[in-house]
């Protein structure tokens, strides 16, 4: 079935175009993104019982997460390329459907080796979600609305995942309950893929910025990658994601509470709910605050929010993880604040990238940012955490990676105050130039 492309009207002033039905389309894109993104929550939430069931080493969750992310480093850009060469909607729907089947199959693993293989296969298809969905979101919404769009998307994803987190944790009380978790999540993922395939209509590349016929050849090439790497802000954002230690909280948080402070898996999983609520407030409220601040301080508003998010997370991580606060309710409070700080990121980092990268290059840009650099950081942090657990313990790991490294990240963001305003102006000038009608003699 061929997608109907809704053309954007060319303008002579570079005025953004409102894509019809953009919020409905965003919901359809976010559904499989949510399913793919939260597939790893079954592993992280039920890690203690999964490790025992397949006789895996204690650091298995770190190794498995690392394997999945290393796979996405290769497959994320590959899926972005396939989507551009063929059809974004079809590529996304097929990848999500196969991801659901592979996720369900992971629940059949009888050994650690089988678990590694099946989890790795699912990662091949899950890798498609981030770059394709991020590019489509940028095409659906103009610069003024991208903060809210990304914030709402990731807030909803986190909230739904966190509501299900404690429920998933209860499967630890059921014999082989972790298998049912993979089965259920696989079925949910397949359902979202069907909804996307049936009801979604793909906008044109750059639909919210320029007329589709004015966009350049959309193929991802090394030439375009080299062009993007000449954008200072984009390079800085790649490095910023590479040192984002807050990613470790998602995979090691529950294991940390179980092994360091003695909570059961079912009790420790309770923190996923306040984390999700905090994340929701961070994405919803934070995206609105970001857009407001950006309208008042267009040159540095987004950078202020980005830096605040990293600084706040680092401080709270140090305070919240390095002391036994007793009941799970106190840790739940800290996790809520951590979720809020982490939730500020999607509503600001993606609009920053979209504001400095040409529309036809955004797919490659998001693939590099999310599927390569963020995935590389996630993989390395989980691998290092697994290796360092036996050396400095999980408490030490939490001090250095989500804590101190995030303080370093906040200091690094200071450089963006210099590069971001210049790169935004350069990109706006490019879009205005493209929108001018061609004058012939």
């Amino acid at each position: 079935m061929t997608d109907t492309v809704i053309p954007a009207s060319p303008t002579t002033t570079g005025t953004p175009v409102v894509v019809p039905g953009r919020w409905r389309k965003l919901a359809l894109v976010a559904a499989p993104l949510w399913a793919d993104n939260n597939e790893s929550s079954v592993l992280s939430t039920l890690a203690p019982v999964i490790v025992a069931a397949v006789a895996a080493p204690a650091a298995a969750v770190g190794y498995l997460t690392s394997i999945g992310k290393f796979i996405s480093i290769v497959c994320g850009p590959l899926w972005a390329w396939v989507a551009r060469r063929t059809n974004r909607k079809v590529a996304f729907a097929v990848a999500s459907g196969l991801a659901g089947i592979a996720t369900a199959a992971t629940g059949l693993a009888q050994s650690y080796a089988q678990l590694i293989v099946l989890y790795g296969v699912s990662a091949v298809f899950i890798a498609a979600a981030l770059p394709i969905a991020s590019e489509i979101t940028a095409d659906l919404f103009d610069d003024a609305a991208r903060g809210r769009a990304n914030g709402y998307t990731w807030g909803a994803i986190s909230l739904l995942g966190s509501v299900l987190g404690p429920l998933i944790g209860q499967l630890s009380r059921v014999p082989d309950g972790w298998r049912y978790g993979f089965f259920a999540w696989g079925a949910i993922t397949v359902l979202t893929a069907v909804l996307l395939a049936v009801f979604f209509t793909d906008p044109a590349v750059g639909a919210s910025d320029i007329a589709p016929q004015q966009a350049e050849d959309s193929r991802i090439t090394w030439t375009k990658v080299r062009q993007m790497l000449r954008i200072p802000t984009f390079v800085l954002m790649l490095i910023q994601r590479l040192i984002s230690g807050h990613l470790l909280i998602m995979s090691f948080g529950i294991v940390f509470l179980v092994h360091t402070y003695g909570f059961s898996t079912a009790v420790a999983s309770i923190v996923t709910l306040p984390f999700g609520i905090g994340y929701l407030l961070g994405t919803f409220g934070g995206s609105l605050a970001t857009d407001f601040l950006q309208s008042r301080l267009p040159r540095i508003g987004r950078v202020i929010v980005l830096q605040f998010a990293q600084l706040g997370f680092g401080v709270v991580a140090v305070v919240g993880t390095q002391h036994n606060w007793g009941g799970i309710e106190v840790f739940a409070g800290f996790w809520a604040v951590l979720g809020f700080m982490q939730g500020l990121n999607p509503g600001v980092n993606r609009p920053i990238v979209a504001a400095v990268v040409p529309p036809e290059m955004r797919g490659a840009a998001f693939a590099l940012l999310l599927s390569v650099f963020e995935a590389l950081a996630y993989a390395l942090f989980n691998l290092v955490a697994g290796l360092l657990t036996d050396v400095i313990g999980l408490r030490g790991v939490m001090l250095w990676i989500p804590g101190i490294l995030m303080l370093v990240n906040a200091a690094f963001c200071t450089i963006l105050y210099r590069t971001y305003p210049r790169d935004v102006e350069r990109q706006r000038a490019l879009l205005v130039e493209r929108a001018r009608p061609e004058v012939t003699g």
Side-chain angles (χ1 to χ4, degrees):
M1 181 172 61
T2 303
D3 290 343
T4 301
V5 177
I6 299 177
S9 302
T11 67
T12 58
T13 61
T15 302
V17 177
V18 176
V19 178
R22 57 185 185 173
W23 291 104
R24 176 183 59 82
K25 294 176 182 178
L26 178 63
L28 290 169
V29 169
L33 179 62
W34 160 70
D36 289 345
N37 184 73
N38 281 296
E39 182 266 351
S40 60
S41 66
V42 178
L43 174 65
S44 59
T45 302
L46 298 175
V49 294
I50 294 175
V51 166
V54 298
V61 62
Y63 300 148
L64 285 167
T65 302
S66 299
I67 290 170
K69 292 302 177 181
F70 279 127
I71 289 174
S72 73
I73 291 172
V74 176
C75 295
L78 180 60
W79 277 111
W81 177 81
V82 169
R84 283 296 188 91
R85 290 298 299 270
T86 56
N87 182 300
R88 292 193 298 189
K89 167 184 167 179
V90 172
F92 195 7
V94 169
S96 296
L98 293 175
I101 294 172
T103 296
T106 303
L108 300 174
Q110 299 298 314
S111 67
Y112 183 38
Q114 291 179 12
L115 183 65
I116 291 175
V117 172
L118 292 170
Y119 193 79
V121 171
S122 68
V124 171
F125 303 111
I126 289 172
L130 268 177
I132 298 177
S134 297
E135 182 188 18
I136 291 175
T137 301
D139 291 335
L140 287 172
F141 295 88
D142 59 85
D143 185 70
R146 284 184 191 129
R148 279 175 292 147
N150 282 284
Y152 294 167
T153 296
W154 289 99
I157 286 174
S158 179
L159 180 63
L160 291 172
S162 298
V163 168
L164 291 174
L167 298 179
I168 293 174
Q170 300 310 306
L171 292 175
S172 64
R173 305 178 186 273
V174 180
D176 283 336
W178 64 274
R179 299 185 188 277
Y180 303 137
F182 280 112
F183 296 156
W185 211 268
I188 291 172
T189 305
V190 171
L191 176 60
T192 61
V194 171
L195 293 175
L196 179 74
V198 174
F199 297 107
F200 179 70
T201 302
D202 193 357
V205 174
S208 62
D209 294 296
I210 56 176
Q213 61 269 27
Q214 292 176 300
E216 297 177 5
D217 184 357
S218 62
R219 290 178 297 174
I220 299 172
T221 64
W222 284 113
T223 298
K224 290 183 178 180
V225 172
R226 288 194 295 269
Q227 290 175 350
M228 287 187 294
L229 294 180
R230 288 198 290 265
I231 303 172
T233 296
F234 181 66
V235 174
L236 292 174
M237 290 301 294
L238 294 180
I239 299 173
Q240 190 269 333
R241 296 311 287 171
L242 197 59
I243 56 174
S244 294
H246 61 69
L247 301 171
L248 197 67
I249 287 290
M250 297 294 291
S251 54
F252 266 81
I254 293 175
V255 176
F256 166 73
L257 292 173
V258 170
H259 288 280
T260 304
Y261 297 122
F263 295 106
S264 68
T265 300
V267 171
S269 66
I270 292 174
V271 301
T272 62
L273 180 56
F275 181 90
I277 294 174
Y279 194 99
L280 177 70
L281 294 176
T283 51
F284 279 39
S287 60
L288 292 173
T290 299
D291 287 346
F292 174 80
L293 190 60
Q294 178 69 11
S295 67
R296 296 297 185 272
L297 300 170
R299 294 176 60 83
I300 61 172
R302 286 172 177 156
V303 180
I304 291 174
V305 176
L306 182 70
Q307 187 172 48
F308 172 75
Q310 317 318 308
L311 178 63
F313 192 99
V315 171
V316 176
V318 171
V319 175
T321 64
Q322 298 306 301
H323 178 72
N324 187 350
W325 296 97
I328 194 64
E329 62 276 359
V330 180
F331 285 101
F334 281 114
W335 254 247
V337 181
L338 290 173
F340 175 81
M341 293 298 175
Q342 189 167 338
L344 293 175
N345 283 280
V348 65
N349 58 27
R350 289 156 179 79
I352 285 177
V353 171
V356 301
V357 175
E360 70 278 0
M361 297 184 187
R362 287 176 186 152
F366 288 125
L368 283 175
L369 179 71
L370 304 173
S371 297
V372 177
F373 279 77
E374 181 175 300
L376 180 61
Y378 202 0
L380 291 176
F381 290 145
N382 278 275
L383 182 60
V384 170
L387 296 173
L388 289 181
T389 296
D390 295 332
V391 180
I392 62 176
L394 277 172
R395 185 180 295 181
V397 168
M398 289 295 177
L399 170 64
W400 284 100
I401 298 181
I404 294 175
L405 183 61
M406 288 304 293
L407 300 179
V408 174
N409 192 316
F412 177 81
C413 290
T414 303
I415 308 174
L416 289 168
Y417 287 107
R418 183 177 181 85
T419 66
Y420 179 67
R422 295 185 304 193
D423 290 335
V424 168
E425 289 303 319
R426 188 179 298 115
Q427 174 62 15
R428 285 177 178 169
L430 173 64
L431 292 177
V432 170
E433 181 65 26
R434 288 182 178 180
R436 290 174 180 168
E438 188 174 325
V439 179
T440 59

